[in-house]
């Protein structure tokens, strides 16, 4: 199993450009999510999906769109990049753990380092 | 303001020392996870705790979930240079995962 894969690994954009960050998982996980990680801020949830065709907003959704047409793929779109979106982006996928409580144990991809100039 | 506050933010110790890092919140979580992240990589799950008062051990690492499910601690016994990394706690409720800012641990040989 490849686990969670992300492309590209690095990207530089100019302000106003658009792009899509790709994320794929081969573990048949229902739950997928996107985070951004900034120094001193930890990881902040952008969007998540509990299954194909279902998406919802996280803590910091503005400026980002997502869709989930298949279980495996969960792309993140930046419609008009801004310098404030310079960050490291992580995609994660999870299964639902039963027996004693709900928890999502997430498996993270290697990240995409995005710079917007 | 972070929903989960981790302390200390930075910790530098000698090999063989013990240490404890803390993860505190005013919110109740249905579960809490601890992750370790190496530079240039994604976080890797260490443990999930789901029951108030739960204690889990992973070799030299001991994790505790507070009775009220608002806080957690990670204790490392006899730290080794391989323990160096960023330790993140994350609380989960209703499909929403919130992370602390992390504790950056350096263990010197």
């Amino acid at each position: 199993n490849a686990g969670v894969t992300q492309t590209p690994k690095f990207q530089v954009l100019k302000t106003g450009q658009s792009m899509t960050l790709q994320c794929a998982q081969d573990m048949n996980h229902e739950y997928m999510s996107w985070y951004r990680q900034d120094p001193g801020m930890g990881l902040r949830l952008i969007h998540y999906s509990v299954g194909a065709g279902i998406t919802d907003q996280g803590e910091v959704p503005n400026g980002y769109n997502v869709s989930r047409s298949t279980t495996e793929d969960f792309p993140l779109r930046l419609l008009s990049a801004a310098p404030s979106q310079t960050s490291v982006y992580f995609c994660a996928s999870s299964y639902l753990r039963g027996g004693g409580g709900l928890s999502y144990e997430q498996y993270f991809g290697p990240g995409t380092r995005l710079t917007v100039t | 303001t972070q929903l989960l506050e981790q302390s200390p933010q930075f910790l530098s110790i000698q090999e063989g020392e013990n240490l404890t890092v803390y993860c505190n919140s005013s919110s109740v979580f249905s579960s809490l996870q601890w992750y370790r992240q190496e530079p240039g990589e994604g976080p890797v799950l260490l443990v999930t705790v789901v029951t108030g008062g739960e204690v889990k051990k992973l070799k030299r690492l001991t994790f505790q979930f507070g009775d009220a499910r608002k806080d957690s601690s990670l204790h490392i016994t006899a730290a080794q240079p391989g323990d160096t990394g960023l330790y993140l706690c994350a609380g989960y409720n209703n499909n929403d995962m919130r992370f602390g800012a992390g504790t950056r641990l350096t263990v010197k040989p």
Side-chain angles (χ1 to χ4, degrees):
Chain A
N1 285 352
V4 179
T5 58
Q6 291 184 239
T7 56
K9 193 159 180 68
F10 300 95
Q11 183 70 50
V12 178
L13 290 177
K14 295 186 186 303
T15 297
Q17 286 185 319
S18 63
M19 78 158 297
T20 299
L21 279 64
Q22 301 292 341
C23 174
Q25 53 93 6
D26 60 1
M27 297 172 282
N28 203 32
H29 287 167
E30 289 291 334
Y31 185 95
M32 295 186 73
S33 53
W34 275 102
Y35 293 87
R36 58 178 290 173
Q37 186 174 30
D38 302 292
M41 299 290 290
L43 283 88
R44 292 182 290 169
L45 182 64
I46 303 171
H47 286 284
Y48 65 92
S49 167
V50 298
I54 306 169
T55 63
D56 208 343
Q57 297 180 349
E59 185 183 357
V60 287
N62 292 340
Y64 307 95
N65 278 356
V66 292
S67 59
R68 184 95 179 270
S69 57
T70 66
T71 299
E72 295 78 20
D73 301 297
F74 191 43
L76 178 72
R77 296 184 189 85
L78 282 72
L79 301 178
S80 178
S84 62
Q85 293 178 305
T86 293
S87 187
V88 181
Y89 291 85
F90 289 100
C91 177
S93 73
S94 317
Y95 59 88
L96 175 63
R97 170 180 158 173
L102 292 177
S103 67
Y104 284 106
E105 302 174 0
Q106 300 198 85
Y107 296 83
F108 284 82
T112 294
R113 186 174 294 275
L114 176 68
T115 303
V116 183
T117 61
Chain B
T1 304
Q2 295 280 144
L3 187 62
L4 284 160
E5 296 288 340
Q6 288 190 241
S7 61
Q9 188 176 359
F10 298 95
L11 186 57
S12 180
I13 61 172
Q14 292 294 134
E15 182 176 3
E17 292 183 1
N18 301 333
L19 68 112
T20 302
V21 298
Y22 300 93
C23 175
N24 295 305
S25 178
S26 58
S27 298
V28 176
F29 296 102
S30 61
S31 69
L32 192 138
Q33 288 88 33
W34 284 91
Y35 293 80
R36 188 171 79 191
Q37 185 178 19
E38 308 277 355
E41 298 180 7
V44 176
L45 179 70
L46 295 174
V47 77
T48 300
V49 286
V50 296
T51 305
E54 182 176 1
V55 177
K56 281 193 173 180
K57 292 192 175 184
L58 185 66
K59 297 183 180 178
R60 294 177 293 100
L61 279 60
T62 302
F63 304 86
Q64 184 163 7
F65 200 14
D67 290 341
R69 306 210 314 275
K70 293 182 180 181
D71 52 81
S72 181
S73 63
L74 159 59
H75 181 80
I76 301 179
T77 303
Q80 299 177 359
D83 296 326
T84 293
L86 179 67
Y87 288 82
L88 297 160
C89 66
Y92 170 76
N93 275 323
N94 300 323
N95 296 327
D96 190 5
M97 183 79 76
R98 296 296 178 104
F99 280 78
T103 292
R104 189 166 298 280
L105 172 66
T106 302
V107 183
K108 300 176 183 177

